[in-house]
Amino acid sequence: QCVICEAGRRKQISSCESSGSIPGIIGASWSCDYVGPITPATTRGYNGIILFEELAVGYLYGIIVRDKSESYIEAIQNLIVILSVM
C-alpha cells in the first residue's frame, strides 16, 4: 500500500457540527480553493486557478488567475454568471 492510500483509509470523519447545508441538494454546498502557483505560467501570465467544487455531485469549475491575491469575489461573480445560463 502507498502512504497516500493508507492515510486516506485512516482519515476519520470530523466530529464537528455541520453548517446545516445538505450536500444531497445540488447547488446547496460549494467548496473553493486556490491551486498554484503553476509553472510555467501561460503566455498571458496566468499561473493559478481558483477551483470551485459543487459537493453534491462533484461538479468542478476553475477560473484561471494571475496571482493568489486576485479577487475571490470576481471569481464567485463569474461562477454565478456561468451557472445562471446553464
Side-chain angles (χ1 to χ4, degrees):
Q1 298 289 337
C2 74
V3 175
I4 296 171
C5 296
E6 190 63 33
R9 281 194 196 96
R10 293 176 188 245
K11 187 174 182 180
Q12 296 183 5
I13 298 173
S14 174
S15 61
C16 299
E17 289 186 31
S18 72
S19 64
S21 61
I22 301 170
I25 298 174
I26 297 173
S29 188
W30 288 80
S31 175
C32 176
D33 199 11
Y34 173 78
V35 180
I38 298 170
T39 54
T42 68
T43 55
R44 295 189 178 177
Y46 295 102
N47 68 350
I49 301 169
I50 296 178
L51 186 64
F52 295 92
E53 179 183 8
E54 198 287 321
L55 298 176
V57 295
Y59 173 76
L60 294 174
Y61 180 74
I63 298 171
I64 56 175
V65 294
R66 288 187 172 87
D67 58 44
K68 188 174 183 176
S69 65
E70 193 163 326
S71 175
Y72 276 84
I73 299 297
E74 290 177 29
I76 292 169
Q77 289 170 341
N78 187 338
L79 177 64
I80 290 169
V81 168
I82 295 297
L83 293 175
S84 67
V85 296
M86 292 181 116

